[in-house]
Amino acid sequence: MDQSMLSFVLKHLPDYWDSEVSYNAVGYVLRILSKLGNPDEYQYVETMFYGANINQIIRVQNPFQYGRFMLRREMVHSAYEDTVFHGVHKDDFYTALKFNCDYRRYIRKREGVYENSQHPMFYNSFSDLLNKIIHPISDIHVLVLKIMTKAPKTQCDYYIQYVVKF
């Protein structure tokens, strides 16, 4: 990543990210949230799952993906922003993180469950996602993403905010 772009992104991080964020070889940092250590953020994510038995909530801090999202938002002059859900099999978890939900790289993909032929399948609610998954919920990690359009055109139109494990 270009140093000037990285510097800009690091100055405009989301408020809830750790203040000391750097771009590393993996590209992202995972922060486990707790009810005691991050009560407001934990509760914010937990309420999206309607009382489901959540095992773990993880914040994803990826300055590269977030920077691409910010640049794309500026380029298309988008003010729209929404939260969507994408389910991945636990075997595809790190692939989804590394390649921003590029379903073509998943080893456990199934036609129509993960993808819509151009982009990964995003669901407006956890219950919508539950109605489509074919694996047991214990084998699925739900990615909570921020998206800037209802019909994404590139991978820059969204980024992963959280991972929820059951």
Side-chain angles (χ1 to χ4, degrees), residues 89-104:
H89 192 278
K90 62 185 177 185
D91 295 344
D92 291 316
F93 172 61
Y94 291 105
T95 301
L97 289 178
K98 183 175 182 179
F99 298 106
N100 203 30
C101 303
D102 186 346
Y103 67 87
R104 297 168 298 178

Side-chain angles (χ1 to χ4, degrees), residues 5 18 34 49 61 71 73 95 109 133 144 154 157 164:
M5 188 169 112
D18 297 343
S34 71
F49 291 85
Q61 297 180 170
L71 290 171
R73 185 171 56 194
T95 301
K109 64 182 177 180
I133 60 173
V144 179
T154 75
D157 289 349
V164 177

Side-chain angles (χ1 to χ4, degrees), residues 98-163:
K98 183 175 182 179
F99 298 106
N100 203 30
C101 303
D102 186 346
Y103 67 87
R104 297 168 298 178
R105 297 174 182 266
Y106 294 170
I107 57 175
R108 295 284 195 132
K109 64 182 177 180
R110 293 284 178 107
E111 192 67 35
V113 175
Y114 291 134
E115 71 277 350
N116 67 3
S117 79
Q118 290 183 334
H119 295 286
M121 291 295 290
F122 296 127
Y123 299 92
N124 293 322
S125 71
F126 175 58
S127 61
D128 290 345
L129 173 65
L130 276 180
N131 290 330
K132 296 291 184 178
I133 60 173
I134 57 174
H135 300 289
I137 192 65
S138 59
D139 288 346
I140 298 295
H141 295 341
V142 177
L143 308 179
V144 179
L145 297 98
K146 193 59 75 176
I147 194 166
M148 75 171 75
T149 177
K150 291 185 183 214
K153 293 187 174 156
T154 75
Q155 284 188 329
C156 300
D157 289 349
Y158 49 87
Y159 72 97
I160 304 167
Q161 287 185 296
Y162 299 100
V163 178

